[in-house]
């Protein structure tokens, strides 16, 4: 019997030695330690043995069983450790690999220009005033002294929200410029200080909309920054001084400016301001189309009728106003040829700023 036990032990231990996989070890456990394994059969047969033999054989069989169990456990932990080692080897970090670039967002080029405009006018004491993008005909045109049949009121130029059929002669529209904000700001101010309103010095930034053919030079949606100063004794010289100063702070101390006579219904006199082309310094290039000058903004002295519509007495108060397009300015500064880039959301464009 002892011999039999020895051979059971030898066979089992030899077999476990060669095992390299958990699934094989499991089969081994069934074969050598399971219910119908040879060693279990020995235990089952103990009953048939004599009183003298039983304790010795039982003890010897138990020693074999414990040895097999120990071998099984050892193999199991060895295989598990190997598996861990393997997966760790796969996860090894190569410290010589180049790092991953972190992508940081940036401000849209128009936003950058807008913020610079705010900073320059903020330094000059202008506050920011915002007003609504959906306007009435009254504010967008009538209060600004547009004659009834002015071409700018045409269906060709304006996005209507509620048509004339719904609202008579005061249809709702998307504002075509930021100028209606002038009226809102003046009325708010003069109703707050009806007797002797203190001066106003504001810029009015915001989105404007025009029903236009989208081309490289014109979009249906764009920003404007309006400016308005109203007070006693404000003259055209203040307008020129403020805007030339703005140009120097925005485009560099050597920026040249010139004012050309123009026309807007809500200013009189009206002008357009050009700055000397910062690319060719006035020599003429592709950005300024050979002119040496770039048109930056429209401006003028606030029309007496507009002052009156804002609650100011034009005999006592005067003011100047201006309006510029930040997208246009951004195009000039960065030599951007196509205004459609601003809304295309193309990262190849946006990441350059
Ligand atoms: N609102 C004018 C435009 O859209 C610009 C402007 C504003 C001109 C204020 C004069 C004064 O073209």
């Amino acid at each position: 019997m002892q011999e039999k036990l020895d051979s059971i032990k030898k066979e089992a231990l030899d077999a476990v030695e060669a095992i390299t996989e958990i699934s094989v070890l499991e089969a081994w456990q069934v074969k050598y330690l399971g219910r119908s394994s040879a060693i279990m059969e020995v235990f089952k047969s103990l009953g048939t043995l004599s009183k003298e033999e039983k304790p010795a054989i039982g003890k010897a069989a138990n020693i074999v069983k414990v040895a097999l169990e120990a071998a099984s456990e050892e193999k199991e932990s060895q295989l598990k450790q190997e598996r861990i080692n393997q997966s760790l080897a796969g996860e090894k970090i190569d410290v010589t690999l180049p790092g991953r670039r972190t992508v940081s967002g940036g401000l849209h080029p128009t936003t950058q220009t807008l913020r610079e405009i705010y900073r320059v006018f903020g330094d000059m004491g202008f506050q920011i005033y915002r007003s609504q993008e959906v306007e009435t005909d009254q504010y967008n045109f009538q209060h600004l002294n547009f004659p009834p049949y002015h071409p700018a009121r045409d269906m060709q130029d304006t996005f209507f929200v509620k048509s004339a059929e719904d609202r008579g002669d005061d249809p709702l529209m998307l504002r075509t410029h930021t100028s209606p904000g002038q009226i809102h700001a003046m009325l708010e101010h003069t109703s707050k200080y009806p007797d002797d309103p203190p001066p106003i010095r504001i810029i009015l930034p915001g989105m404007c909309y025009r029903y236009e053919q989208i081309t490289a030079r014109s979009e249906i949606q764009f920003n404007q920054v309006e400016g308005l100063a109203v007070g006693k004794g404000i003259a055209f010289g203040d307008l020129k001084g403020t805007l030339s100063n703005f140009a120097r702070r925005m485009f560099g101390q050597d920026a040249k400016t010139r004012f050309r006579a123009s026309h807007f219904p809500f200013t009189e006199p009206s002008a357009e301001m050009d700055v000397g082309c910062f690319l060719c310094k006035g020599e003429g290039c592709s950005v300024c189309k050979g002119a040496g000058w770039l048109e930056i903004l429209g401006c003028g002295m606030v029309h007496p009728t507009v002052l009156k519509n804002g609650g100011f007495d034009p005999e006592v108060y005067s003011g100047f106003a201006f309006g510029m397009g930040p997208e246009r300015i951004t195009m000039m500064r960065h030599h951007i040829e196509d205004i459609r880039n601003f809304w295309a959301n193309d990262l190849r464009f946006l990441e350059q700023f």
Side-chain angles (χ1 to χ4, degrees):
M1 190 47 114
Q2 186 59 49
E3 250 171 56
K4 188 179 171 195
L5 284 172
D6 286 344
S7 88
I8 291 174
K9 186 176 164 190
K10 186 174 182 323
E11 185 189 329
L13 291 184
D14 285 351
V16 84
E17 191 65 30
I19 292 174
T20 55
E21 267 177 63
I22 288 278
S23 60
V24 182
L25 179 64
E26 280 162 4
W28 179 94
Q29 285 161 341
V30 172
K31 186 172 173 194
Y32 291 102
L33 284 166
R35 254 173 221 267
S36 42
S37 59
I39 189 71
M40 288 308 172
E41 292 301 331
V42 173
F43 283 114
K44 280 180 209 159
S45 70
L46 283 182
T48 64
L49 297 178
S50 69
K51 259 194 186 149
E52 295 73 39
E53 275 179 315
K54 210 195 243 173
I57 301 289
K59 196 176 168 194
N62 205 42
I63 288 171
V64 172
K65 180 173 162 252
V66 169
L68 296 193
E69 280 167 354
S72 160
E73 243 165 62
E74 191 188 331
K75 186 51 116 182
E76 194 169 328
S77 69
Q78 178 201 333
L79 292 179
K80 278 186 181 156
Q81 188 58 48
E82 270 169 21
R83 197 185 271 183
I84 290 170
N85 289 349
Q86 256 168 26
S87 72
L88 281 181
E91 284 171 19
K92 214 175 353 183
I93 296 169
D94 180 354
V95 293
T96 66
L97 279 177
R100 267 179 221 133
R101 207 162 66 96
T102 50
V103 190
S104 58
L107 292 176
H108 191 280
T110 307
T111 308
Q112 294 181 25
T113 302
L114 276 169
R115 290 193 179 183
E116 240 177 289
I117 295 172
Y118 301 163
R119 179 180 57 77
V120 170
F121 282 109
D123 285 351
M124 292 196 261
F126 283 74
Q127 291 177 294
I128 293 182
Y129 185 96
R130 292 186 190 272
S131 68
Q132 66 252 40
E133 291 180 18
V134 175
E135 274 297 358
T136 58
D137 183 89
Q138 196 181 23
Y139 276 83
N140 198 76
F141 294 126
Q142 292 170 44
H143 280 332
L144 290 166
N145 201 30
F146 277 83
Y149 295 102
H150 191 280
R153 306 175 70 136
D154 203 287
M155 300 280 281
Q156 307 298 315
D157 297 303
T158 308
F159 281 115
F160 288 93
V161 176
K162 279 223 159 63
S163 66
E165 283 120 64
D166 291 333
R167 289 178 51 94
D169 60 1
D170 196 22
L172 277 186
M173 59 190 65
L174 298 180
R175 65 178 174 193
T176 58
H177 51 173
T178 42
S179 302
Q182 290 187 28
I183 305 290
H184 287 292
M186 285 193 281
L187 284 177
E188 196 180 306
H189 194 70
T190 50
S191 62
K192 204 160 154 193
Y193 309 102
D195 295 335
D196 189 15
I200 290 181
R201 205 165 10 164
I202 51 172
I203 53 170
L204 307 92
M207 202 70 79
C208 304
Y209 306 85
R210 283 186 202 168
Y211 189 22
E212 287 192 71
Q213 182 77 36
I214 298 175
T215 67
R217 305 225 17 104
S218 63
E219 255 290 359
I220 56 173
Q221 179 176 2
F222 52 92
N223 283 279
Q224 278 194 347
V225 178
E226 187 91 5
L228 176 69
V230 182
K232 288 176 187 164
I234 291 181
F236 198 83
D238 297 310
L239 165 67
K240 282 185 81 172
T242 304
L243 291 178
S244 316
N245 196 349
F246 161 73
R248 282 194 297 274
R249 292 185 191 219
M250 190 78 188
F251 304 113
Q253 279 308 311
D254 57 349
K256 287 204 190 90
T257 48
R258 78 173 180 189
F259 290 79
R260 281 178 293 105
S262 183
H263 173 79
F264 301 102
F266 38 92
T267 47
E268 181 60 35
S270 302
E272 267 161 344
M273 184 177 86
D274 299 339
V275 291
C277 180
F278 24 80
L279 203 74
C280 63
K281 302 278 175 232
E283 307 239 316
C285 68
S286 67
V287 171
C288 60
K289 311 234 153 44
W293 295 94
L294 297 166
E295 186 195 318
I296 291 290
L297 51 81
C299 58
M301 300 306 289
V302 182
H303 195 286
T305 304
V306 175
L307 282 173
K308 217 183 290 166
N309 292 341
F312 282 100
D313 178 357
E315 297 292 332
V316 181
Y317 294 90
S318 58
F320 65 77
F322 55 86
M324 64 184 81
E327 278 91 359
R328 283 261 141 76
I329 293 177
T330 311
M331 287 172 82
M332 293 170 188
R333 301 175 94 189
H334 296 297
H335 210 150
I336 297 164
E337 307 252 308
D338 195 324
I339 199 168
R340 289 170 290 199
N341 283 318
F342 289 110
W343 296 106
N345 262 339
D346 187 333
L347 284 179
R348 289 169 302 178
F349 171 74
L350 296 172
E351 278 174 349
Q352 295 177 58
F353 303 96

